Structures are given as C-alpha cells and as structure tokens.
Amino acid sequence: MKAQSPYEPTLARALTHALNHLARLEQTPVAATTTLEELRGRLAQPLPTEGMAPEAVIDSLVADTQGGVLGTQGGRFFGWVIGGSLPAALAADWLTASWDQNAALYACGPAEAVLEEICGIWLKEVLQLPATASFALVTGCQMAHVTCLAAARHALLARRGWSVEDDGLAGAPVIRMLSSNQRHGSIERAVRLLGLGQRHVVDLPVDAQGRLAPATLAAALRESTAPTIVILQAGDLNIGAYDPFAELIPLAHEHEAWVHVDGAFGLWANASPAHQHLLAGVGQADSWATDGHKWLNVPYDCGYAFVADPEAHRSAMSHRASYLVHAADARDQIDWTPEWSRRGRGVATYAALRQLGRNGIAELVARTSRHAQALTRGIGALPGAELVWESAVNQGLVRFLAPSPGASAADHDRRTDEVIAAILATGEAFFGGTTWRGMRCMRISVCNWQTSESDVVRTIAAVAQVLEKGV
Ligand SMILES: *Cc1c(COP(=O)(O)O)cnc(C)c1O
C-alpha cells in the first residue's frame, strides 16, 4: 500500500472547514460577532515552545477565529468594494499554494510564466486595452498604480534627458499630477512611494455628475509646462463616476502629459456591451490599473497594471543579475513587477477567466450593476430613507433621515451612521458609510458573483425592519 502523504490529513481538515464556512454563509451573520478583546484572548497565546500536530493547528485556527471572519464570500456583503471568489479561482488558488512556485522567472515556474502571459493577452482583450500594451500581475490596484506611475515617471523624465533609475529624483524636474478630487487614496500612496510628493498632486473639482470636465483639465494643463501626469477615474468609489476619456485624453496628450487611469473596479464595465459606452476613448490612455480581487472575483491578492509603452514599463522595473536564469523567448515576470520572489497569481486569474468566459464576465458586470440599482432604489424608497445616488454600475448611495421635525444636517448624518450600525447588528447584510459632498451616506457596492435577486429582497426587508423598529 502506498504511504499517505504527510499533507493529506491536514489538507482534508482544511477542505472540510472551508466547505463548512462556504455552506453556512446563508445562515451565519454577515458582520463580525466577536470583539477585538475576544479575538486577542483566543489568538494571542505565548509563542509555543513545542510544536503541535498540523491537523490540530488547523482545527484550532478555525475555532479561535470564530465570529471574526466576515461574510464577504456571501451574497449580502455590500461594504467597501469587495469581491468574492469564483469556485474555479478559489480552487486554482489552492493549487497555487500547493505547487508553491516562485513566479519571478520562467526558469523557476515555467507553467506559471506562461499562464501569466496568457492572462495578459486575455485581460487586454476583455478590458479592450491595446493588444500591444505591457502588463504585470501585482498584489492589487495600489501596486498597479505604483507600477504604472513608475513607468510614467521614467518616460516623462527620460524625455527631459533625466534617468530617474540612475540619478534618482534629487535635482530632477518636478512632475506635477492633475486629477479630480474624487480619486482614491491609493494614488497618494503610490505618489509617496515613488518620491513624487503628494504636494504635487493638484486637486481639480468635478462637475455635478462627479466627472472631471474638459474645460477644468484644459485650464489646469495650461498653467504649467512641467512634466505632467493626468490621473483619470474609471468608476470612483462613491458613485462609480467615469471621467469623459474621449475628450480628456487627447487634451492631455496635446500637452504631452502621461494619462493614467484608476479603474480598480470600473474598468470592468468595458467587458459589458451594455456598459462600455462609459469608457469610450479609455484605450488611448498611457497606463491603466485595475483589480482581479474585486469585480472579477479572484481571491486576494490580485491586481493588474497595463502600460501602453512597454519600454517605459520595462525600464522602470526590469532587473538582470548574473545568477538569474533569463529565458530568451519566455516572459520573466520580474521584468514587469515591483517584486522579486512572488506567488503565481496568474493561476487564479486564468481559472476565473476560463470559468466565466467573455459572456460570463459581461453578464456578471450587468447582473451586479442591476442588483446595486435595485438595492439603491429599494432602500432609498423606504420610509425614513433617501436615495442619494443611483449609478450606472455597481455602486449606489442612500442615507437615513432623522425623524424629528426641524432635524439638522448633523442629525441626518448621525441617524445614517446609527442605521448602518443597526443593519450590521442584524447580521443580515453588511454596508459601510462614507461622507460624500458633506453628507454621511451608506455605500452600496455589489461585486460578488453570488449576490442574487433573493439576497436583494432579503436585504431590503432587513433594512425596512431596522427602520420600522426604530434605532
Ligand atoms: C479598491 C480601490 C483601489 C485600491 O485597490 P486595492 O486593490 O485595494 O489596492 C483604488 N482605486 C479604487 C477606485 C478602488 O475602488
């Protein structure tokens, strides 16, 4: 008889626990049911002197985290912008860990190098980006910004005869960045990490639809001849607004600016024929950042960077050392990513794209957007609620009004936060708050492939009950 693999009992335990977790999402509360103190009490044991059996480690891990794992994998989690994971993508992620390849080079993970190569081709096709663009699979949109903006920094300074890779930034021309004031905070962090200085990001106001207007950008571009990066938004985090790319990008290019697009979730609208009008002209940009772990429903961590000029991208990232084995023809991921050793994150992306196919992705975008709109309208129509923004994609805003006559703006803000907390306490659904145009609002974000019409109905009923009972 063949000896059992030393992994078998432990992996079998993990499978059972994972299936239990996933099967119980319908019944268990979506929000946390433990406190910080409880979690620390269970997990913060002294560093063990002696080891223990691996199966027991897994069992106790599951027991000790009870109530501290949010129901993000289920259909009623609408907080932040959080995707679930498709069965093929989750299973592929397990295989990735089992294979444990170092996906830095073709030489140390041939299959993973080819999987990423194909992911790049497919992703550009689905997202309708130029087939000639270079790409990198990174940890998330945050690092996609870093990768793309490093390429921008290289290209803009090279044009002025400055090698940022050799000489650094001290003494280099200052790069200014123009973007709408609705940008995501990950832009600032990318700018800080790259030494560009967040002081050099100029906040531009948006129009009533949350978009950067061409006249606003034109005026800002005229103000200086400094090397410039224009950062545009494909789906902002509050209302899913899309900047008018077809007008803005040619304008920026007239001034020789580099155009970077933050499309963390919103770029996926280009996969849906019913939504791609929102992105008209986006393909003319110089770089694009998006996520796999949000709308595509790949497990964390997974983001994608694309750069129209592969030479700028490669110059910013490429690394060659004598002891590395570089393949003449194959793709070495290390030439395109900011990392050295890394997980083979192409495996889950490849699996997700195959499970859904082009039509499945289009349908996922359309379906989740429809559910977000139904939730926004349904909750917005309840007594004591107000629809604040219904978006063309998978985001929406509502707020809750304090019932007392003559209630102030501050009363409505307080009421909104109280209702959000009360909804979380029911365990039926999870939402987050935001301050948008000076108002506290509840954000509705639908990114999970599992959200169904009955989840929408169940959620609206839960919110109605909270409002009826009074908070
Ligand atoms: C989530 C998000 C980001 C950051 O993406 P990560 O994957 O969390 O790094 C950037 N921009 C927007 C609009 C987002 O929604």
Side-chain angles (χ1 to χ4, degrees):
M1 216 180 80
K2 215 166 136 245
Q4 196 187 43
S5 149
Y7 287 103
E8 191 151 341
T10 314
L11 291 186
R13 298 298 302 156
L15 176 62
T16 304
H17 288 304
L19 291 175
N20 270 342
H21 173 73
L22 296 169
R24 290 209 309 251
L25 291 165
E26 279 288 292
Q27 292 89 45
T28 46
V30 180
T33 54
T34 54
T35 62
L36 176 63
E37 290 70 32
E38 278 168 20
L39 285 170
R40 281 197 182 133
R42 289 188 234 139
L43 293 164
Q45 300 162 13
L47 173 67
T49 307
E50 302 298 336
M52 68 197 279
E55 306 93 292
V57 173
I58 297 305
D59 286 346
S60 112
L61 197 55
V62 171
D64 294 346
T65 52
Q66 277 300 320
V69 177
L70 302 180
T72 51
Q73 280 280 46
R76 284 169 289 108
F77 193 94
F78 310 112
W80 301 286
V81 181
I82 301 248
S85 50
L86 293 160
L90 175 54
D93 199 57
W94 287 358
L95 282 180
T96 307
S98 307
W99 294 339
D100 196 27
Q101 305 283 284
N102 183 346
L105 296 168
Y106 174 78
C108 55
E112 302 211 351
V114 175
L115 284 167
E116 284 196 30
E117 192 177 294
I118 307 310
C119 285
I121 295 168
W122 285 356
L123 288 166
K124 285 184 278 180
E125 214 173 310
V126 169
L127 298 169
Q128 304 206 51
L129 301 178
T132 50
S134 53
F135 63 91
L137 276 69
V138 291
T139 54
C141 197
Q142 168 74 81
M143 287 312 288
H145 290 326
V146 170
T147 305
C148 291
L149 295 179
R153 184 181 69 167
H154 167 88
L156 290 174
L157 293 180
R159 271 185 229 159
R160 309 248 169 162
W162 188 273
S163 167
V164 67
E165 286 75 27
D166 291 332
D167 298 322
L169 281 171
V174 169
I175 295 176
R176 75 172 170 154
M177 289 146 286
L178 305 176
S179 97
S180 95
N181 56 16
Q182 299 300 299
R183 72 179 163 275
H184 190 272
S186 54
I187 295 286
E188 254 79 5
R189 261 206 331 186
V191 163
R192 276 159 45 190
L193 286 171
L194 291 167
L196 297 173
Q198 58 191 9
R199 189 199 307 282
H200 300 294
V201 183
V202 181
D203 260 351
L204 302 175
V206 292
D207 68 11
Q209 302 299 306
R211 298 171 305 198
L212 178 56
T216 310
L217 179 64
L221 284 165
R222 278 195 301 268
E223 264 169 33
S224 154
T225 55
T228 302
I229 303 173
V230 172
I231 297 160
L232 301 181
Q233 192 70 57
D236 87 293
L237 76 161
N238 284 314
I239 61 169
Y242 286 78
D243 286 330
F245 305 105
E247 293 164 89
L248 298 182
I249 297 174
L251 200 58
H253 284 166
E254 276 171 33
H255 291 261
E256 292 176 0
W258 176 288
V259 180
H260 174 66
V261 176
D262 179 359
F265 61 91
L267 203 56
W268 290 90
N270 235 6
S272 160
H275 297 83
Q276 56 196 205
H277 61 276
L278 298 164
L279 285 147
V282 80
Q284 300 171 61
D286 299 284
S287 58
W288 304 262
T290 189
D291 269 318
H293 53 217
K294 288 179 178 174
W295 228 348
L296 185 60
N297 281 258
V298 168
Y300 289 102
D301 47 21
C302 192
Y304 314 120
F306 304 91
V307 180
D309 173 3
E311 260 330 290
H313 183 179
R314 184 195 269 274
S315 301
M317 291 298 155
S318 175
H319 181 76
R320 302 264 148 176
S322 58
Y323 68 93
L324 298 176
V325 181
H326 294 286
D329 185 30
R331 173 183 169 88
D332 283 327
Q333 295 91 311
I334 199 171
D335 285 335
W336 309 99
T337 65
E339 302 145 321
W340 197 284
S341 297
R342 62 195 276 280
R343 184 175 175 80
R345 55 178 75 91
V347 183
T349 295
Y350 184 87
L353 293 171
R354 283 201 70 176
Q355 187 191 323
L356 293 175
R358 198 193 282 279
N359 289 343
I361 298 171
E363 211 267 326
L364 173 68
V365 167
R367 185 176 75 237
T368 42
S369 297
R370 216 167 45 238
H371 290 327
Q373 289 149 13
L375 279 169
T376 309
R377 275 184 232 156
I379 296 173
L382 295 172
E386 184 179 83
L387 191 162
V388 176
W389 197 277
E390 184 187 325
S391 98
V393 287
N394 60 341
Q395 313 292 312
L397 294 179
V398 295
R399 66 174 187 150
F400 301 102
L401 304 175
S404 49
S408 67
D411 294 332
H412 298 319
D413 286 352
R414 203 171 315 114
R415 170 80 179 163
T416 297
D417 282 327
E418 284 164 2
V419 173
I420 295 172
I423 297 168
L424 261 54
T426 67
E428 283 287 283
F430 194 108
F431 294 98
T434 186
T435 300
W436 184 75
R437 296 189 184 170
M439 262 184 308
R440 286 301 286 167
C441 296
M442 182 172 91
R443 280 176 70 193
I444 295 166
S445 174
V446 186
C447 294
N448 197 306
W449 70 282
Q450 295 209 75
T451 299
S452 64
E453 234 147 86
S454 74
D455 286 322
V456 170
V457 171
R458 182 169 162 186
T459 298
I460 297 171
V463 177
Q465 213 173 12
V466 163
L467 291 172
E468 270 164 38
K469 273 203 320 230
V471 175

Coordinates of all heavy atoms in Angstrom, one line a residue, residues 81 140-142 145 184 186 233 235 262 264-265 291 293-294, ligand 1:
V81 N -15.5 47.9 -1.6 CA -15.7 47.3 -2.9 C -15.0 46.0 -2.8 O -13.8 45.9 -3.0 CB -15.1 48.2 -4.0 CG1 -15.4 47.5 -5.4 CG2 -15.7 49.6 -4.0
G140 N -2.5 44.2 -6.0 CA -3.8 44.9 -6.0 C -3.7 46.2 -6.8 O -2.6 46.5 -7.4
C141 N -4.7 47.0 -6.8 CA -4.7 48.2 -7.6 C -3.7 49.2 -7.1 O -3.1 49.9 -7.8 CB -6.1 48.8 -7.6 SG -6.3 50.0 -8.9
Q142 N -3.5 49.1 -5.8 CA -2.4 50.0 -5.1 C -1.1 49.8 -5.8 O -0.5 50.8 -6.3 CB -2.3 49.7 -3.6 CG -1.2 50.3 -3.0 CD -1.3 51.8 -2.7 OE1 -2.0 52.2 -1.8 NE2 -0.7 52.6 -3.6
H145 N -1.0 50.9 -9.4 CA -0.7 52.4 -9.6 C 0.9 52.6 -9.5 O 1.4 53.4 -10.2 CB -1.3 53.2 -8.4 CG -2.8 53.3 -8.5 ND1 -3.5 53.3 -9.7 CD2 -3.8 53.4 -7.6 CE1 -4.8 53.4 -9.5 NE2 -5.0 53.4 -8.2
H184 N -9.0 58.0 -5.5 CA -8.9 57.0 -4.3 C -7.5 57.3 -3.6 O -6.5 57.7 -4.3 CB -8.9 55.6 -4.9 CG -9.0 54.5 -3.9 ND1 -7.8 54.0 -3.3 CD2 -10.0 53.9 -3.3 CE1 -8.2 53.0 -2.4 NE2 -9.5 53.0 -2.4
S186 N -5.3 55.5 -2.7 CA -4.1 54.6 -3.2 C -3.2 55.4 -4.1 O -2.1 55.1 -4.3 CB -4.6 53.3 -3.8 OG -5.5 53.6 -4.8
Q233 N -10.3 58.8 -13.6 CA -11.1 57.8 -12.8 C -12.1 57.1 -13.7 O -12.9 57.7 -14.4 CB -11.8 58.6 -11.8 CG -12.5 57.8 -10.7 CD -11.4 57.2 -9.8 OE1 -10.6 57.9 -9.2 NE2 -11.4 55.9 -9.7
G235 N -14.8 54.9 -12.7 CA -15.6 54.4 -11.6 C -15.0 54.8 -10.3 O -14.1 54.2 -9.7
D262 N -7.3 55.1 -13.1 CA -7.6 54.2 -12.0 C -9.0 53.6 -12.3 O -10.0 54.2 -12.2 CB -7.7 55.0 -10.7 CG -8.1 54.2 -9.5 OD1 -8.4 52.9 -9.7 OD2 -8.2 54.7 -8.4
A264 N -10.0 50.5 -10.8 CA -9.9 49.4 -9.8 C -11.0 48.4 -10.1 O -10.8 47.2 -10.2 CB -9.9 49.9 -8.4
F265 N -12.3 48.9 -10.0 CA -13.4 48.0 -10.4 C -14.0 48.5 -11.7 O -14.4 47.7 -12.6 CB -14.5 48.0 -9.3 CG -15.1 49.3 -9.0 CD1 -16.2 49.7 -9.7 CD2 -14.5 50.1 -8.0 CE1 -16.8 50.9 -9.4 CE2 -15.1 51.4 -7.8 CZ -16.2 51.8 -8.4
D291 N -8.2 45.7 -10.7 CA -8.1 44.7 -9.8 C -8.7 43.4 -10.3 O -9.7 43.4 -11.1 CB -9.0 45.0 -8.5 CG -8.1 45.7 -7.5 OD1 -7.0 45.3 -7.2 OD2 -8.6 46.7 -6.9
H293 N -9.2 41.1 -7.7 CA -9.9 40.6 -6.5 C -11.2 41.3 -6.2 O -11.9 41.0 -5.2 CB -9.0 40.6 -5.3 CG -8.3 41.8 -5.0 ND1 -7.0 41.8 -4.5 CD2 -8.6 43.1 -5.1 CE1 -6.6 43.1 -4.4 NE2 -7.6 43.9 -4.7
K294 N -11.6 42.3 -7.0 CA -12.9 43.0 -6.8 C -13.9 42.4 -7.8 O -14.5 41.3 -7.5 CB -12.8 44.5 -7.0 CG -12.0 45.1 -5.8 CD -11.8 46.6 -6.0 CE -11.1 47.2 -4.7 NZ -10.8 48.6 -4.9
Ligands
LIG1 C1 -10.1 49.5 -4.2 C2 -9.7 50.7 -5.0 C3 -8.4 51.0 -5.1 C4 -7.3 50.2 -4.4 O1 -7.2 48.9 -4.8 P1 -6.5 47.7 -4.0 O2 -6.8 46.5 -4.8 O3 -7.3 47.7 -2.7 O4 -5.1 48.0 -3.8 C5 -8.0 52.0 -5.9 N1 -9.0 52.7 -6.6 C6 -10.3 52.5 -6.4 C7 -11.3 53.3 -7.2 C8 -10.7 51.4 -5.6 O5 -12.0 51.1 -5.5

